[in-house]
Amino acid sequence: MKPTVFMDLHHDRALALDELRKLLFDLFSAPERGVMASRYARAHGYTDGYMKGLLSAGLVSERELREIVSEARARVAGAATRVVHRLDQLPRGSA
């Protein structure tokens, strides 16, 4: 009986999410730093693959992932500037 197994999984998850936050910060701040398009595309693909791996491994849910991405984008680019409504919730004729 190893009580450290849960602690290791929790620790690994925390490290993986910290790494994801770093990747997202680098990705969202790249255009302002003047990163070349090829390097930006590579970083984008790497970050997408990392997120898919986290989902596949069950370390993060889709909802958690959306929240992390949203927080990272807001940290770099500021808060969202407008409210987005779902089309099925708009009054008829306004879409």
Side-chain angles (χ1 to χ4, degrees):
M1 184 157 80
K2 273 179 80 173
T4 58
V5 171
F6 174 75
M7 294 297 286
D8 289 343
L9 180 61
H10 180 73
H11 180 71
D12 290 346
R13 181 181 189 276
L15 287 175
L17 295 181
D18 283 345
E19 182 65 22
L20 175 60
R21 287 182 180 96
K22 291 175 192 173
L23 290 170
L24 289 168
F25 178 81
D26 288 344
L27 181 65
F28 291 137
S29 63
E32 291 180 12
R33 292 183 285 127
V35 172
M36 291 178 9
S38 60
R39 293 188 132 216
Y40 180 75
R42 186 178 304 127
H44 199 282
Y46 185 81
T47 304
D48 282 348
Y50 195 86
M51 290 189 291
K52 184 175 181 173
L54 291 175
L55 284 170
S56 296
L59 291 175
V60 66
S61 69
E62 286 185 31
R63 183 177 181 174
E64 289 174 305
L65 195 55
R66 282 192 300 269
E67 290 173 2
I68 292 168
V69 171
S70 178
E71 289 169 5
R73 191 212 56 84
R75 190 173 39 235
V76 172
T81 58
R82 65 183 174 136
V83 176
V84 178
H85 299 281
R86 289 179 35 181
L87 291 177
D88 62 345
Q89 294 176 342
L90 291 175
R92 296 195 118 224
S94 64

